[in-house]
Amino acid sequence: MKLPIITEETIKEHLKEVEDAKKSKTFKSKSDEIFKEILEENPVLTEIVIPTLESKKPEEYKKGYLAGITTIYDILKRQSNKSKIK
C-alpha cells in the first residue's frame, strides 16, 4: 500500500481543527477520541504504544509521544480519505 502525499491543504485543516479544539477546550477529549480510534482500527499497535506509556519515561515524553501518534494518524487518515474521493 502506498501512502498518499500529504498536501498543504490537509495540514491546514488539521491545524485549524487543533486550534478550534484548544479554543473550545475540547482538545484533550478530541485527542483521546483519535487515540481510541487508532487502537480500535489497529489493535496490533497496542504492542508498541502501551509499553511506551507504561515505561518509566517522563510524563512529558509520554504526552509528546501520544501527540505525535495522533497527529500523524489524523493527517494520514484525512489525506487518505481525500485521495479515495478523487
Side-chain angles (χ1 to χ4, degrees):
M1 179 177 116
K2 187 175 178 183
L3 291 175
I5 304 274
I6 298 170
T7 64
E8 185 175 355
E9 176 187 359
T10 300
I11 298 290
K12 286 180 179 178
E13 287 173 5
H14 173 79
L15 291 175
K16 182 179 180 338
E17 190 169 299
V18 167
E19 286 304 314
D20 291 348
K22 284 181 180 178
K23 287 177 187 173
S24 67
K25 302 193 187 299
T26 60
F27 182 76
K28 174 81 170 100
S29 62
K30 178 68 176 165
S31 181
D32 289 348
E33 183 182 306
I34 292 170
F35 187 64
K36 180 181 174 194
E37 186 178 312
I38 291 169
L39 296 182
E40 286 174 352
E41 291 180 5
N42 303 282
V44 72
L45 286 178
T46 59
E47 296 172 24
I48 298 168
V49 176
I50 299 303
T52 300
L53 297 179
E54 292 176 343
S55 72
K56 293 183 180 185
K57 297 212 181 275
E59 287 304 309
E60 287 303 309
Y61 175 90
K62 294 175 186 179
K63 288 177 186 177
Y65 179 78
L66 284 176
I69 289 172
T70 56
T71 297
I72 293 297
Y73 181 87
D74 186 54
I75 289 171
L76 285 172
K77 187 166 186 176
R78 284 173 191 267
Q79 192 65 55
S80 178
N81 287 339
K82 285 181 181 183
S83 297
K84 290 177 186 175
I85 294 172
K86 292 179 180 180

